[in-house]
Amino acid sequence: MDYCITRDEGEDAVYYTLRWSPFAKADKYEITRSVPAIGGIAEIYYRDEKGKLNLFCLQRSWYGGLRAVLRERCDASIEKDPWRLSILVKWRERIYYRWTNCESFADMADVMFFLVECSCPGAGGESSGRYGRIFVNEIDAGKLVTI
């Protein structure tokens, strides 16, 4: 798969490479058609008045798959979290997402820990505990898919 997480291990360190899918405008029908029902990590953004993409949801999915998570997080009619729902309603025509596949729950834990710590240090969460240091290189697909 093109959009996936790979791992290289070093001495007490791990180096992950995240290959993200292209950004796509959130549409529940398009998500159903184009996002696979596999484990992975998804990011959801809204585009503000100045055109900047702002991350408002970082989500991992294991059992339900990325398709189910993105459908729930991008559809105001089924989102349960009040804060995310307020963003979906306010920015409904400006919601975008991207995703990457991960076939290891432990790798997903490490990457999520790294991403959360970078955006909100001390917010909680735990890595897999396998490595003393975690490094992540993100490769953007480099294009925006519009619907």
Side-chain angles (χ1 to χ4, degrees), residues 110-128:
D110 289 340
V111 171
M112 284 293 291
F113 176 76
F114 181 91
L115 294 174
V116 169
E117 280 296 309
C118 285
S119 62
C120 192
E126 294 184 16
S127 69
S128 69

Side-chain angles (χ1 to χ4, degrees), residues 9-109:
E9 297 179 28
E11 195 170 311
D12 195 38
V14 63
Y15 303 86
Y16 290 104
T17 300
L18 280 64
R19 288 178 180 81
W20 290 106
S21 70
F23 281 101
K25 189 171 182 189
D27 173 81
K28 62 183 174 183
Y29 303 110
E30 189 60 31
I31 289 169
T32 300
R33 284 190 296 269
S34 64
V35 177
I38 56 176
I41 296 173
E43 291 183 331
I44 306 172
Y45 296 79
Y46 67 90
R47 185 183 300 266
D48 65 21
E49 298 92 355
K50 295 180 181 178
K52 179 184 175 206
L53 287 173
N54 298 277
L55 179 67
F56 79 92
C57 184
L58 175 65
Q59 184 79 43
R60 68 176 156 185
S61 177
W62 188 249
Y63 293 114
L66 288 164
R67 181 185 305 146
V69 161
L70 282 168
R71 281 263 301 136
E72 183 176 335
R73 295 293 177 258
C74 293
D75 187 344
S77 69
I78 56 178
E79 174 59 64
K80 296 173 182 83
D81 179 77
W83 182 76
R84 285 193 298 256
L85 178 59
S86 70
I87 294 199
L88 290 174
V89 170
K90 180 177 181 181
W91 302 101
R92 66 183 162 269
E93 297 301 319
R94 296 176 171 200
I95 304 293
Y96 297 86
Y97 68 90
R98 67 181 181 172
W99 58 269
T100 185
N101 173 43
C102 188
E103 296 181 0
S104 164
F105 190 78
D107 289 352
M108 202 181 317

